[in-house]
Amino acid sequence: MGLSIPMSMSMPLSGAALRAGALEVVVLGGHLLLYPTGVCQEKVTTRPPATRPPVLLLHGFTDNRSVFVLLRRALGAGGRHVEAYNYSPFTLDLRVTARHLARRVEELCERTGQERVDLVGHSLGGLVGRYYVQRLGGDTRVRTLVTLGTPHSGTRVAPFMDAHPLIRQIRPDSEVLTELAAPAPGCATRCVAFWSEFDTIMTPVATARIEHPDLCVENVQVTGIGHLALAVHPAVIAAVRRTLEGPGLAAVTGSDTASVA
C-alpha cells in the first residue's frame, strides 16, 4: 500500500530539495547538542500493568536514544509507556543486536504486564526490528513495527564504508537482506514503513519501502524532508502516533493513497 504525507507542495522540486537539505542541517545541529544526553542506557523501572502495548524505540547506526526526544514525548503524551533501547555503537552484526532486542522485549512485556509491544525504528533500527520480527519469532510479541528511513532493500550510499561489517549487511543482496526476502508465511506483525524522496541515505530512495508478499505492509511516502528529519518532523510524529493508536492510515482513508497535512 502507498500513502503520502506532503510537507510542502508549493515549491518546485529544486527548491524543495534545498529546503529539505537546509532542514537536515538544522536537525543535525540540534541532534549533536542532544547526543551526549542519550549515550547511556536509560534506567528501566517496574510500572503498574499497562492498558495498551508499550512502545520501544530503536535508533540508527552510530546514533543513540536522544534522536527520539520529540517522538517519545508525543507517543507518551496519552499515558502510553515508551522506552528507548540503546544498542552498542560497536555492533558488528545486525543479527546479534536483534537477539539482544528479543531479550529486551521479553523483559519489557514482563514489566508492563502486556503480551505484545510496538516497535519504532529509525534507519538501521528499523532493520533490527524487522529481523527480530521475521527471523526470530518476534511477530508473536510485536503488534506493529514502524520504520523511518530504513534500508529494507539495501542502500548503496557511502561505498567507502564497506570495510565495516554492519555496513556490508545493509548492502543490496547481503546475507541479512536475503534472509529478510525469504518467505515469512503467517507473520502476525503489521509493518508501516515511512520513506522520503529526499532521503539521501537511502540509495535508491525507494529502498526504504517494504516489498514482501507475506507481510502486512503500509508504505507511507513523506515529501519534502530528509533522513534525519523523519524522526523529528511534527507531521511524521503525528502520523506515527495515529498509526499506533488507530486502525491504520489506509484503513482510515479507505484507499491506497492519502495525504496527511
Side-chain angles (χ1 to χ4, degrees), residues 231-249:
V232 302
H233 197 284
V236 178
I237 289 176
V240 171
R241 184 174 180 179
R242 288 195 299 272
T243 296
L244 298 183
E245 293 185 349
L249 291 174

Side-chain angles (χ1 to χ4, degrees), residues 113-153:
Q114 289 289 307
E115 293 295 322
R116 307 194 80 185
V117 306
D118 291 329
L119 296 181
V120 180
H122 180 238
S123 197
L124 181 66
L127 212 57
V128 171
R130 184 178 167 194
Y131 193 92
Y132 165 55
V133 164
Q134 275 188 247
R135 305 297 298 176
L136 302 178
D139 64 313
T140 62
R141 284 299 196 190
V142 180
R143 184 187 67 158
T144 301
L145 169 67
V146 174
T147 67
L148 308 171
T150 291
H152 291 288
S153 298

Side-chain angles (χ1 to χ4, degrees), residues 19 26 28 36 39 44 50 54 63 94 104 109 115 123 144 179 204 208 214 216 218 248 254:
R19 182 177 176 180
V26 172
L28 176 60
V39 170
V44 295
D63 211 339
L94 180 155
R104 177 61 181 267
C109 287
E115 293 295 322
S123 197
T144 301
E179 288 184 58
D214 293 334
C216 176
E218 297 169 35

Side-chain angles (χ1 to χ4, degrees), residues 136-203:
L136 302 178
D139 64 313
T140 62
R141 284 299 196 190
V142 180
R143 184 187 67 158
T144 301
L145 169 67
V146 174
T147 67
L148 308 171
T150 291
H152 291 288
S153 298
T155 178
R156 298 183 178 89
V157 74
F160 58 88
M161 293 185 66
D162 280 353
H164 196 295
L166 194 58
I167 297 300
R168 292 199 297 271
Q169 289 185 334
I170 61 172
R171 296 303 190 200
D173 302 320
S174 72
E175 184 177 312
V176 167
L177 295 184
T178 299
E179 288 184 58
L180 291 177
C187 182
T189 297
R190 169 184 171 226
C191 301
V192 183
F194 288 78
W195 65 285
S196 172
E197 83 276 34
F198 293 135
D199 188 339
T200 58
I201 303 300
M202 300 297 106
T203 306

Side-chain angles (χ1 to χ4, degrees), residues 13-48:
L13 183 60
S14 58
L18 289 172
R19 182 177 176 180
L23 179 60
E24 284 290 276
V25 173
V26 172
V27 172
L28 176 60
H31 186 41
L32 289 176
L33 290 175
L34 289 173
Y35 192 92
T37 68
V39 170
C40 297
Q41 193 76 262
E42 70 176 66
K43 296 180 180 180
V44 295
T45 58
T46 302
R47 299 173 63 92

